[in-house]
Amino acid sequence: MKTPSPLFFNRELSWIEFNARVLHEARRTDIPLMERLKFLAIVSSNFDEFFMVRVAAIKRQRRHSPEQRDLAGLTPQEQLERISNRAHQVVGLQYETLMNQVLPQLAQQGIHYVSPKEYTQKHTQFTKTMFMQEIFPLLTPIRTDGELFPHLANLKLYGAFALEPLSRNDTERNPFAPAPNTIPVALIQVPAGISRIVVLPAETPEAAGSHAIQFTLLDDIIYHYATYLFPGYKVLEGMLFKVNRDADFAVDEDETIDLPQAMEAVLEKRQSSWPVRLLCTRATRYLTDFLQEKLGLTEQDVYTVEGPIDPSTLLDLTEWPQAAALSYEKWEHFYPPLLEKGQPLWDTLKHRDVLIHVPFESYDPVVTFLNDAADDANTMAIKMTLYRTSGNSPIIRALERAAQKGKQVTVFVELKARFDERQNLSWADQLEKAGVIVVHGILHLKVHGKLLMVVRREETGICRYVHLSTGNYNDKTAKLYVDLSLFTTNEEFANDATLFFNTISGYSIIQPMERLLMAPVTLKDKLLELIERETRLSTESVPGLIIAKMNSIGHEEIIQKLYEASQAGVRVLLNVRGICMLVPGVPGQSENIQVVSIIDRYLEHSRIFYFQNGGAEELYLSSADWMPRNMERRVELMFPVLQEETFKEVKRILQMYFEDTSHAHQLQRDGSWVPAQPTDGQPPVRVQEKLQQMYQRRVEACDTHVPIEFVVRRRG
């Protein structure tokens, strides 16, 4: 058998290690309990998507190309075996953390999870009454004998119960009875219309007046009283479970399709596709084998857990009043001091670019900018891309209002944004009804670049205001995701933005751009050129330097170029939140490459790329990771940081990400990640906390009436 290549890590195993780093945060005793619970929930939701998309894709590959190997030299079957082994380890550790650490410690703080075996008489009376009056009428037991096994919806929670008739005489007279000498199995879908967290009554009046709260779960109640659903039968055993189904399919695109209609079909197909994983509570082999057989799964696809299915439901606890004392202290989202509240942004942008670093800085200027443009009599047009946005989006409302006021509003809504398709379909329909020109899609590509342009008629003529971002136009995630964005009136940027919108919305040929780099046209080639230039300019006395921050890296050509740069003495510092297929620290290959990853209270999402360039430094921001999908299958943007003060700020931010000794891990050549440790007795450095403090000091010290001069960086 071919030995796995030392040049690349397997993509999927690398992703699992990312989820293991998320779990590492949940296991830290120095993190508040509610934050640990959030990290446990993220592990579950991450795994759901991973199995529905990535594992499903590998299973499909196993059917069609069983001998095909990935960059790490593994066949699909070998990948699935290794995925199963490592994922089982991580899930087991996740539930050990939940059941033996987080929930018991929450109970000590007055938030006590009570399982059915712990119900007191008062609990039993309350839960039984609730079951009979509020839950029982909603439940419909479903038989599974013969050819009657029902369809199980993706991600829905079910109960499975093995039954035994109390009297054979009764079953013989019952035309609906199962076949003799069988163990019938019935299924129940847990209703989604009732809160899954059920608060239990206090045992005494004194306890009712305290802050302590006891709760159980809806599925616990259903499981505990299931016997009432099957009169004439005894419940031999039961289990709770959910199924992950294949979601790795897209629209079968051609030029004639109606994309919104085709996306609706994809969403329906996602609910009925083939099963990929069974997540269940512990039961005897009979029930597990029964479901495994009916779902067409193997033993490695079954994940048995000791605790509640889907810990993400427990996130409701973080909204309780008692949760505040068990959560991170609130960090303020500072309004950028270069901007004056109440004044239109274009008054400032006429004189300088403005960089916004969320969530340390507020996202309000972006929303305000759109609102001002919608209501401004001099605004003539608004153009923007929308990949993901929030549920009750103020951005959508501003765009609707602008169109209703007669402005030319063009919005590219990416209908193929995975797991946001339904919402984006709704937004597209809503915007069209308001008079917005909505562009639905580009054949075989996703538009992932983030760009907004407002066109105003001013005394000096037409002026274009451009906003470019590493993250989505989503006011909710902007409070949780770390992203950088730039407001500018730079004419070269504005000209490029105009060309970009013409290209993606119509039949314009792709024209050369001055500043913006676009995938899949010029971005990859530019990155390769920048790495090659750094390699060429590197000398023994003045070695080259590449510093990059991104979500994932897995592009073969880019990784090979980084290896060549390392071999030429270039120092390569990579900050990669998630997948890293590059192998660092290998003598003769990558000994000059260092890879770190940071998992903290905010999700690291910004993409920043620095090249020393023999002293003529260049710095870029981008919507794109260094992955094949970003370079070849998405429309992405990368743009340079030009103004000197902004350049210095972004460079310093990037450097800070390699100083963290609190929430950073360093990738080893064997694929393991080692937590960073402070050296020489120094206190730990936490980059997100340092950034928060930096922006706080800036706001406190800033006098917005003192003029600031910005020097524009130009190519020599």
Side-chain angles (χ1 to χ4, degrees):
M1 186 180 72
K2 181 180 176 182
T3 303
S5 167
L7 295 176
F8 300 94
F9 290 128
N10 172 262
R11 170 188 168 139
E12 319 314 336
L13 295 174
S14 179
W15 182 93
I16 294 176
E17 295 311 316
F18 155 66
N19 218 23
R21 296 196 297 280
V22 176
L23 178 58
H24 175 84
E25 295 299 299
R27 293 178 58 79
R28 291 178 58 150
T29 57
D30 60 334
I31 289 180
L33 277 171
M34 286 298 174
E35 306 301 335
R36 297 175 66 186
L37 184 62
K38 290 178 185 177
F39 282 118
L40 288 170
I42 292 170
V43 170
S44 286
S45 58
N46 282 350
F47 265 132
D48 280 338
E49 183 171 339
F50 175 71
F51 278 94
M52 290 189 296
V53 178
R54 298 305 310 172
V55 175
I58 298 172
K59 286 193 170 190
R60 188 177 292 106
Q61 185 185 29
R62 181 177 60 181
R63 290 202 304 268
H64 300 300
S65 305
E67 301 304 319
Q68 183 176 340
R69 296 181 182 273
D70 73 331
L71 289 177
L74 301 176
T75 66
Q77 181 59 35
E78 289 169 342
Q79 291 182 65
L80 290 171
E81 290 172 358
R82 296 192 187 192
I83 287 169
S84 178
N85 290 338
R86 184 62 176 130
H88 273 92
Q89 291 173 358
V90 175
V91 171
L93 192 58
Q94 175 197 17
Y95 273 83
E96 188 276 331
T97 305
L98 175 66
M99 301 307 294
N100 296 341
Q101 296 183 33
V102 174
L103 287 181
Q105 290 174 35
L106 282 175
Q108 294 173 10
Q109 299 297 323
I111 301 177
H112 187 190
Y113 166 62
V114 182
S115 66
K117 64 183 180 182
E118 300 174 294
Y119 287 171
T120 65
Q121 184 177 354
K122 192 167 187 177
H123 293 157
T124 300
Q125 180 181 1
F126 172 82
T127 55
K128 183 176 181 180
T129 300
M130 180 182 180
F131 176 82
M132 299 305 296
Q133 295 182 357
E134 300 180 35
I135 302 173
F136 182 87
L138 302 177
L139 302 178
T140 304
I142 306 170
R143 61 190 298 162
T144 62
D145 51 326
E147 301 299 320
L148 298 178
F149 191 79
H151 170 75
L152 303 177
N154 188 35
L155 298 179
K156 298 294 184 182
L157 185 61
Y158 291 88
F161 301 94
L163 308 176
E164 179 182 70
L166 295 175
S167 169
R168 286 293 176 186
N169 293 332
D170 291 339
T171 59
E172 290 172 359
R173 295 191 296 268
N174 181 1
F176 302 105
N181 302 319
T182 62
I183 301 177
V185 175
L187 304 180
I188 297 170
Q189 183 175 325
V190 176
I194 303 177
S195 173
R196 196 175 168 206
I197 293 180
V198 178
V199 177
L200 296 170
E203 289 294 314
T204 64
E206 293 76 15
S210 72
H211 293 292
I213 291 182
Q214 295 180 316
F215 73 94
T216 193
L217 297 176
L218 174 65
D219 29 302
D220 287 333
I221 296 175
I222 294 174
Y223 182 90
H224 191 56
Y225 297 107
T227 185
Y228 290 99
L229 293 161
F230 311 108
Y233 289 84
K234 177 174 71 174
V235 175
L236 297 176
E237 64 165 331
M239 68 157 56
L240 296 163
F241 70 94
K242 75 173 182 181
V243 177
N244 293 136
R245 292 184 174 275
D246 171 28
D248 181 50
F249 42 80
V251 175
D252 184 13
E253 297 185 64
D254 62 51
E255 296 180 5
T256 64
I257 66 165
D258 180 312
L259 186 57
Q261 184 176 344
M263 286 309 308
E264 290 286 0
V266 165
L267 294 174
E268 291 179 13
K269 185 178 178 182
R270 188 173 290 166
Q271 288 300 318
S272 59
S273 57
W274 48 275
V276 179
R277 177 176 73 145
L278 173 67
L279 185 69
C280 60
T281 57
R282 189 165 299 282
T284 66
R285 288 303 312 179
Y286 177 77
L287 268 184
T288 306
D289 290 347
F290 175 84
L291 287 174
Q292 182 180 314
E293 178 188 357
K294 294 293 186 181
L295 294 169
L297 297 173
T298 66
E299 189 168 347
Q300 72 178 15
D301 302 319
V302 178
Y303 289 72
T304 302
V305 298
E306 303 283 356
I309 300 290
D310 197 2
S312 61
T313 302
L314 300 176
L315 285 180
D316 287 350
L317 298 175
T318 64
E319 303 298 323
W320 288 10
Q322 299 90 333
L326 305 175
S327 304
Y328 282 133
E329 63 173 313
K330 290 191 178 296
W331 282 359
E332 183 177 352
H333 310 297
F334 299 107
Y335 200 86
L338 287 178
L339 300 175
E340 188 172 344
K341 287 186 179 181
Q343 295 297 317
L345 266 67
W346 39 76
D347 291 347
T348 300
L349 298 179
K350 287 183 178 70
H351 307 289
R352 62 174 72 102
D353 290 356
V354 173
L355 182 77
I356 296 179
H357 194 186
V358 296
F360 309 105
E361 293 186 296
S362 171
Y363 195 69
D364 288 350
V366 179
V367 177
T368 300
F369 180 68
L370 268 173
N371 279 325
D372 288 346
D375 298 327
D376 171 50
N378 293 323
T379 297
M380 303 176 67
I382 301 173
K383 303 180 182 184
M384 76 179 302
T385 61
L386 275 181
Y387 190 75
R388 303 186 197 275
T389 190
S390 61
N392 184 26
S393 174
I395 288 172
I396 298 292
R397 294 197 299 271
L399 294 170
E400 288 179 300
R401 194 167 70 253
Q404 291 163 351
K405 291 190 174 186
K407 302 176 190 340
Q408 186 91 351
V409 182
T410 305
V411 180
F412 191 105
V413 181
E414 182 49 79
L415 300 185
K416 294 175 285 188
R418 198 188 303 271
F419 302 120
D420 274 339
E421 300 99 336
R422 177 79 62 194
Q423 180 163 277
N424 286 4
L425 282 166
S426 175
W427 287 141
D429 182 61
Q430 188 173 323
L431 288 168
E432 283 185 329
K433 289 178 179 177
V436 174
I437 300 169
V438 176
V439 182
H440 287 143
I442 294 178
L443 201 65
H444 305 303
L445 296 172
K446 288 183 181 181
V447 176
H448 192 249
K450 329 296 183 187
L451 180 61
L452 162 65
M453 183 169 69
V454 169
V455 183
R456 296 184 78 238
R457 184 183 298 280
E458 300 178 353
E459 291 181 1
T460 56
I462 298 297
C463 188
R464 292 169 293 181
Y465 298 86
V466 176
H467 178 259
L468 293 138
S469 179
T470 67
N472 295 306
Y473 289 104
N474 188 321
D475 59 299
K476 295 294 189 294
T477 58
K479 297 176 181 178
L480 302 170
Y481 290 15
V482 178
D483 275 302
L484 286 160
S485 65
L486 183 72
F487 280 106
T488 184
T489 57
N490 180 296
E491 275 297 309
E492 292 173 324
F493 279 44
N495 289 336
D496 287 353
T498 301
L499 293 175
F500 173 81
F501 282 116
N502 290 346
T503 298
I504 68 170
S505 64
Y507 292 99
S508 171
I509 62 170
I510 297 172
Q511 302 178 60
M513 296 184 184
E514 291 294 322
R515 294 296 184 184
L516 301 189
L517 287 305
M518 181 173 67
V521 184
T522 57
L523 200 159
K524 183 186 75 173
D525 289 343
K526 180 64 175 180
L527 284 172
L528 294 174
E529 175 192 318
L530 292 170
I531 299 170
E532 288 173 351
R533 183 186 67 188
E534 204 67 27
T535 304
R536 188 172 61 253
L537 294 176
S538 182
T539 65
E540 187 174 348
S541 58
V542 185
L545 177 62
I546 297 171
I547 311 176
K549 178 180 182 294
M550 66 199 78
N551 295 333
S552 298
I553 176 170
H555 195 285
E556 182 178 6
E557 288 180 81
I558 294 176
I559 292 175
Q560 291 282 18
K561 289 296 181 185
L562 291 173
Y563 288 157
E564 292 173 14
S566 172
Q567 292 160 16
V570 177
R571 188 180 178 210
V572 181
L573 302 179
L574 302 177
N575 187 287
V576 183
R577 187 194 79 216
I579 296 166
C580 182
M581 295 174 62
L582 177 148
V583 183
V586 178
Q589 172 181 296
S590 56
E591 63 262 48
N592 292 314
I593 302 178
Q594 176 186 355
V595 182
V596 299
S597 177
I598 291 174
I599 309 291
D600 202 347
R601 66 183 291 171
Y602 294 144
L603 180 80
E604 292 296 339
H605 194 254
S606 54
R607 291 92 165 184
I608 314 171
F609 313 136
Y610 167 88
F611 300 89
Q612 185 173 269
N613 189 27
E617 305 164 291
E618 291 185 4
L619 189 61
Y620 297 85
L621 300 176
S622 182
S623 63
D625 294 314
W626 292 356
M627 297 289 284
R629 65 182 183 185
N630 301 98
M631 297 296 123
E632 281 110 31
R633 300 193 298 276
R634 290 184 175 184
V635 177
E636 303 273 14
L637 288 171
M638 183 173 80
F639 55 97
V641 179
L642 299 178
Q643 285 191 340
E644 185 171 352
E645 291 301 316
T646 306
F647 187 100
K648 289 179 180 178
E649 180 178 350
V650 175
K651 182 182 176 184
R652 177 59 187 140
I653 289 169
L654 181 59
Q655 290 171 328
M656 290 169 68
Y657 275 95
F658 296 88
E659 299 169 2
D660 192 295
T661 57
S662 173
H663 287 71
H665 288 69
Q666 184 160 342
L667 179 60
Q668 309 300 301
R669 57 188 289 187
D670 64 357
S672 63
W673 292 82
V674 176
Q677 299 292 334
T679 57
D680 302 326
Q682 296 296 315
V685 175
R686 184 182 179 193
V687 63
Q688 290 191 1
E689 185 175 53
K690 283 187 66 176
L691 287 166
Q692 180 71 14
Q693 293 168 350
M694 181 181 82
Y695 287 104
Q696 181 173 354
R697 288 194 302 269
R698 177 181 298 181
V699 169
E700 292 171 349
C702 182
D703 181 352
T704 57
H705 297 290
V706 176
I708 301 175
E709 181 180 356
F710 286 81
V711 179
V712 178
R713 297 174 55 86
R714 299 289 184 186
R715 291 174 179 161

